[in-house]
Amino acid sequence: MAQIQRRKTYTASVGGVRVGSDAPIVVQSMTNTDTADIDGTIRQVAALARAGSELVRVTVNNDAAAAAVPHIVDGLDRLGIPVPIIGDFHYNGHILLKKYPACAQTLAKYRINPGNVSIGKKDDDNFRTMIEVAIANNKPVRIGVNWGSLDQSLLTRLMDENSKLDEPKDARDVTMEAMVLSALRSADLAVSYGLRKDQIILSAKVSGVQDLIDVYRELGRRCEYPLHLGLTEAGMGAKGIVSSTAALAVLMQEGLGDTIRVSLTPAPNGDRTEEVTVAQQILQSIGIRSFNPQVTACPGCGRTTSTFFQEMAEQIQSYLREQMPVWKTRYSGVEEMKLAVMGCVVNGPGESKHSNIGISLPGTFEEPKAPVYVDGRLMLTLKGDHIVEEFIKILDEYVDSHYAAKEQKLVGISSN
């Protein structure tokens, strides 16, 4: 894994999941179900958790949602999915957390948006109430600033002060400063009410890539709180994936970020777990964490008029996805395995040699054979109509022989 120097922070515990400093960067997601729909929310949380989400946030916006939270957590426990559930509060969180103590006790963390509580108005009583509930229940809090709901009194004051300067700053820069100040001042308020510093996580979300990079660089420079990264309203499809990757990869390479979410807009009836897959792939692509074996496949060119190598790459990738839930319980380190499915002789053998297992399929006018390389050496050559099945058999044998069974590994450790 990449040796990136993470910035030193306090370390928060969210339902037993460590966030900050030397803890692994945590993948989280959020449901889009009506939280009052207990069964539907349980199904979606379970799907997100099975996909690899280590924290899941749910909307708590009304009485029915708050009353449903304990039942959702109980249902997940019965399924053997004890993923920490975070409550997302806006406007009325101070009421709901006091009115539904079981909700306050069951949630692993509260997310508070300073722009949507009483901060900046005549008093900060609503914010204070939520912090006091967090203290009483020993819960961490994410203070999540969003430029779509920024504290307007703070922004107005900073804009007025800026307009009086001899050389006023750009309005965009003033807005970025308002976001940083909103997060830091809210954290200071929470500490003044008795919340420990290791119970605070900060975020400052915007929807522009460079804006996100700039605001988090400044926030990271001015505090030691863990940071939750995410491009808010990233968008759909390729736009959302590329924008999120562009922003998060830069920040994490600089040691910023302790937990991430990729806020994709799903297609109608689309799979919500896509945001988890993308977050994992960002972390794995830049070498921070490993989640699944990676398949290298060439894009194809005039030498690869056959689509067979594309179909095989997809079949292998699908097989890995299906097997990983089982493999992860049985084998240690299998998530770091690398495979190659290449389409012709130009880069095929060389790329295959760089993988744990690689196959170089014949391109146009090449001899109809497919050499298989294992750990850099030619193992055998496949021919005929059953190349995929034979390659998968080699793959299974490699996993079984090269990755230590977890039970055996534990015995080995205890006997030393």
Side-chain angles (χ1 to χ4, degrees), residues 23 64 203 224 251 287 331:
S203 67
E224 293 185 350
L251 291 168
Y331 301 108

Side-chain angles (χ1 to χ4, degrees), residues 149-162:
S149 50
L150 185 56
D151 179 351
Q152 290 302 300
S153 63
L154 173 62
L155 180 60
T156 300
R157 179 171 64 78
L158 292 182
M159 288 291 188
D160 289 344
E161 293 173 356
N162 183 63

Side-chain angles (χ1 to χ4, degrees), residues 43-274:
R43 284 194 296 271
Q44 190 171 90
V45 172
L48 291 166
R50 289 177 179 131
S53 185
E54 293 155 308
L55 301 172
V56 178
R57 183 158 46 113
V58 301
T59 298
V60 186
N61 58 332
N62 53 37
D63 290 78
V69 166
H71 300 292
I72 292 167
V73 173
D74 286 345
L76 291 166
D77 285 342
R78 287 195 296 271
L79 291 175
I81 303 175
V83 61
I85 301 299
I86 300 163
D88 192 63
F89 294 97
H90 296 271
Y91 310 112
N92 59 354
H94 59 295
I95 297 172
L96 296 175
L97 285 171
K98 293 288 286 186
K99 187 175 180 181
Y100 296 92
C103 172
Q105 293 163 11
T106 305
L107 290 170
K109 183 176 73 173
Y110 313 151
R111 186 276 175 125
I112 305 174
N113 183 339
N116 290 338
V117 292
S118 56
I119 290 179
K121 299 182 174 63
K122 64 178 182 178
D123 56 51
D124 59 355
D125 287 350
N126 297 353
F127 178 75
R128 181 170 187 158
T129 296
M130 297 183 74
I131 296 301
E132 289 174 343
V133 173
I135 294 168
N137 289 281
N138 194 29
K139 303 293 182 180
V141 167
R142 171 159 72 93
I143 296 172
V145 180
N146 192 305
W147 74 347
S149 50
L150 185 56
D151 179 351
Q152 290 302 300
S153 63
L154 173 62
L155 180 60
T156 300
R157 179 171 64 78
L158 292 182
M159 288 291 188
D160 289 344
E161 293 173 356
N162 183 63
S163 67
K164 297 173 183 178
L165 297 175
D166 293 336
E167 296 183 8
K169 298 177 182 177
D170 184 83
R172 179 260 191 191
D173 294 336
V174 178
T175 301
M176 295 298 102
E177 175 65 11
M179 293 190 67
V180 172
L181 282 179
S182 178
L184 296 178
R185 291 183 178 183
S186 298
D188 288 344
L189 269 178
V191 170
S192 74
Y193 299 146
L195 195 67
R196 300 192 314 272
K197 290 184 177 180
D198 66 355
Q199 291 177 291
I200 297 173
I201 297 170
L202 298 183
S203 67
K205 290 191 173 184
V206 296
S207 55
V209 171
Q210 197 57 53
D211 293 330
L212 192 83
I213 292 170
D214 290 348
V215 75
Y216 271 98
R217 281 174 173 166
E218 188 62 19
L219 188 58
R221 187 182 68 82
R222 290 160 64 173
C223 77
E224 293 185 350
Y225 295 111
L227 300 180
H228 168 71
L229 302 186
L231 194 71
T232 190
E233 294 107 25
M236 296 184 72
K239 187 269 181 185
I241 293 171
V242 172
S243 296
S244 294
T245 303
L248 270 58
V250 169
L251 291 168
M252 289 190 292
Q253 288 283 3
E254 295 179 4
L256 295 166
D258 303 283
T259 172
I260 65 171
R261 182 195 172 203
V262 176
S263 300
L264 297 179
T265 303
N269 300 312
D271 189 349
R272 189 68 168 183
T273 64
E274 182 185 15

Side-chain angles (χ1 to χ4, degrees), residues 308 312 315-316 359 361 368 370 372 380-394:
F308 181 69
M312 182 174 182
Q315 286 176 286
I316 297 300
I359 184 168
L361 297 166
V372 176
L380 52 77
T381 299
L382 300 179
K383 297 180 180 180
D385 299 328
H386 303 287
I387 288 178
V388 174
E389 293 90 337
E390 291 173 12
F391 185 79
I392 286 177
K393 183 179 178 181
I394 294 169

